[in-house]
Amino acid sequence: MARPTPELIDALRRTARNLANGSPYQWGHMGGCNCGNLAQVLTKLNKDQIHQYAMQRYGDWNEQVDDYCPTSQMPLDIVINEMLNAGLMLEDLKHLERLDDRAVLARFPLEKRYLKHNVRDDVVAYMNAWADLLEEQLLAKITLPTFSELELA
């Protein structure tokens, strides 16, 4: 699971908001799909640039992730590297494209866990639930001093 970073949490929420507000969404387009929309927010590239980079190799996001090499300097590998630097893991990209991470899905009521990977509203719900999960993980790592510790200082 991704490292819970403020940057990633914010990017997931902004991507979900963008999609909910009508940003271009096309699951079969490498720059306009689930990962492509998140990549736009994290990298500041547009969907056509991301798609163009992806077309320099074969395959969808799953295959691109399988072929990822951090030192290749292939344009999509540079995009993936930026996404990883924000806190994502390679497996997260695969899960995002299919909306199938069990920890994220467990946040939904049982009858709503069967998300369709190519339905905008399901992508929005998944990204928001994932952002909430990561935020909870981030906040759990923060310990504030107690009142008695403050008095001693």
Side-chain angles (χ1 to χ4, degrees):
M1 169 74 56
R3 284 187 339 272
T5 66
E7 177 188 12
L8 179 56
I9 294 164
D10 179 61
L12 286 165
R13 289 199 171 117
R14 283 191 295 138
T15 303
R17 187 171 47 251
N18 292 346
L19 287 168
N21 291 332
S23 282
Y25 179 75
Q26 182 182 356
W27 190 78
H29 187 282
M30 291 291 291
C33 59
N34 307 352
C35 287
N37 271 280
L38 181 58
Q40 288 178 54
V41 171
L42 286 170
T43 66
K44 313 300 185 263
L45 296 169
N46 66 44
K47 69 180 183 70
D48 293 327
Q49 290 170 309
I50 294 166
H51 187 76
Q52 180 183 356
Y53 292 166
M55 293 299 100
Q56 293 180 21
R57 277 201 308 232
Y58 69 92
D60 61 12
W61 274 94
N62 275 325
E63 292 164 320
Q64 297 276 356
V65 165
D66 285 341
D67 291 340
Y68 166 75
C69 174
T71 60
S72 79
Q73 297 303 303
M74 290 289 293
L76 195 66
D77 284 347
I78 294 170
V79 169
I80 292 171
N81 199 47
E82 283 189 53
M83 297 174 82
L84 298 179
N85 287 339
L88 291 165
M89 308 292 283
L90 290 174
E91 288 301 310
D92 294 321
L93 297 174
K94 291 182 175 192
H95 289 306
L96 175 57
E97 203 55 24
R98 293 289 179 185
L99 306 182
D100 65 1
D101 185 283
R102 289 177 188 220
V104 176
L105 292 174
R107 301 184 67 80
F108 291 92
L110 194 55
E111 67 277 4
K112 297 197 179 208
R113 289 185 189 171
Y114 300 99
L115 302 177
K116 292 191 167 109
H117 65 275
N118 59 352
V119 173
R120 177 191 301 264
D121 290 341
D122 286 356
V123 177
V124 169
Y126 184 92
M127 286 190 179
N128 281 321
W130 191 13
D132 291 345
L133 173 63
L134 292 173
E135 182 177 55
E136 289 170 13
Q137 291 173 351
L138 181 64
L139 292 173
K141 293 180 178 183
I142 298 172
T143 56
L144 298 174
T146 64
F147 183 72
S148 60
E149 291 171 334
L150 291 174
E151 286 180 334
L152 296 173

